[in-house]
Amino acid sequence: MRLRIEVTTGATELAWTKVLSPGRSLLYDLLTREVPDLGRLLHARGAGPYGMVPLGHGAPVFPRAARVRGRYAVGGRGHVELGSPLFEAMTAMAQGIKRRELLDWGGAAFRILNATLVEPPAFTSGRALFRTLTPVVVKGAGKDEQGERVTRQAWLLPADREFPTCFQRNLRRKAETLGLDPEVSLTRITWVGARRSFSVGSTGQVRGGKSGAPVEVELTGPPETLQAIWSWGLGEANTAGFGWIAG
C-alpha cells in the first residue's frame, strides 16, 4: 500500500543533498507520533529475522516544473509517495499527514492538498514489470573473483556479476520478513538507467557512499509477495528513498 501526498510549492529547485534525505525522517516522525511502539521497534531493530525495515518512499515529483540542467526541479503541483506492506504503518501515516498543512522537504515548503491511500496492483498473473524512479542499491560481498576482499562498501551496479544473486537474495528476505511465500524470482533486467548517488544522511552526506542505478526488472512470484514488494521498493535502503517503484 502507498500514501500519495498531493502538494504544491513556490520553490523552484531542491539541492541534490535534499532530494531524498528528508523522506526517512518523515517516515519515522509520522510513525513515532501515531504508533510509537511500532515506530520505535522499526527504528531500533527492524522486523523479522534479518532486521529489515518495511518502509519506503520516493523523491518528490513535479511533472510541470521547468527543467534546468544539473538541478532537481520542483514547482507548482506535485506529489510525494510513502509506502509499506504493513497496513498498520500505512493507516497511521495517512492519519498523521491529515493532521498537517505543510511538509518541510529540505527547506522547501510543500503545502499539502490531499493524501490518498493507494492499493497495489493485483498481479494475478504472477508476473510484474517494475521500473524504479530512484536508484536501486545492492551490496555485494566486496570480493574479487579469487575470493579476496577488495572493498568493504561493494555497492553493485546491474551489470556487475554479483548483482542478480544479491538482488534475488534481497527479494526473498523481504518476503520472509513479512511471512510471505519467498518463491519470488528475478526473471530479467530489461533496462538500466544512469548511475547516480543521492545524499541520504541527516547531515547531507551519503552514508557509506551508496550508489546505484534505476532499473526495470521482470519478476515472477506469488501475487501477494509482488504486491508487498511494490509497496516497499527494490534493493536496499528503501527507507532512504532508494529503489522506489513507479506507480
Side-chain angles (χ1 to χ4, degrees):
M1 185 176 288
R2 296 183 182 183
L3 179 64
R4 173 172 279 219
I5 309 166
E6 305 289 341
V7 299
T8 185
T9 185
T12 57
E13 65 179 274
L14 291 175
W16 284 104
T17 56
K18 301 299 183 181
V19 174
L20 292 181
S21 58
R24 183 177 185 274
S25 296
L26 176 61
L27 288 169
Y28 282 120
D29 184 57
L30 289 168
L31 290 180
T32 54
R33 289 174 185 269
E34 301 297 327
V35 281
D37 289 345
L38 178 61
R40 285 193 292 267
L41 173 66
L42 293 179
H43 188 268
R45 299 198 301 274
Y50 308 108
M52 303 180 83
V53 180
L55 303 171
H57 70 86
V61 175
F62 290 85
R64 297 183 181 179
R67 301 291 184 244
V68 179
R69 185 176 178 84
R71 299 180 182 180
Y72 192 88
V74 300
R77 293 178 69 106
H79 66 268
V80 177
E81 289 188 331
L82 314 178
S84 174
L86 302 179
F87 180 78
E88 180 184 8
M90 291 311 304
T91 54
M93 288 193 284
Q95 181 175 327
I97 285 294
K98 289 179 180 179
R99 302 182 195 277
R100 304 186 182 200
E101 295 182 358
L102 291 173
L103 293 181
D104 178 354
W105 197 276
F110 293 172
R111 184 164 65 88
I112 297 172
L113 302 176
N114 191 30
T116 306
L117 285 169
V118 181
E119 295 285 347
F123 300 117
T124 53
S125 68
R127 305 181 74 86
L129 187 67
F130 291 148
R131 180 179 286 224
T132 65
L133 299 175
T134 58
V136 172
V137 293
V138 174
K139 191 174 183 180
K143 298 180 180 180
D144 61 18
E145 294 183 359
Q146 286 71 46
E148 296 292 330
R149 179 169 293 280
V150 294
T151 177
R152 296 184 64 186
Q153 294 291 339
W155 298 104
L156 303 172
L157 291 175
D160 291 336
R161 176 180 55 84
E162 279 189 282
F163 184 91
T165 299
C166 295
F167 183 88
Q168 176 78 53
R169 183 184 303 121
N170 177 267
L171 292 174
R172 297 197 174 195
R173 286 185 171 185
K174 283 178 171 172
E176 291 170 0
T177 294
L178 299 168
L180 299 175
D181 188 336
E183 292 304 312
V184 56
S185 299
L186 170 64
T187 303
R188 59 186 178 128
I189 299 172
T190 55
W191 171 82
V192 177
R195 178 177 181 174
R196 183 176 292 280
S197 295
F198 277 108
S199 293
V200 298
S202 59
T203 59
Q205 299 177 347
V206 182
R207 292 176 180 164
K210 297 181 181 68
S211 63
V215 298
E216 183 180 80
V217 296
E218 185 180 89
L219 305 183
T220 57
E224 190 176 4
T225 303
L226 295 175
Q227 289 179 318
I229 292 167
W230 179 89
S231 302
W232 188 343
L234 297 178
E236 302 178 35
N238 304 124
T239 55
F242 289 100
W244 189 248
I245 298 166

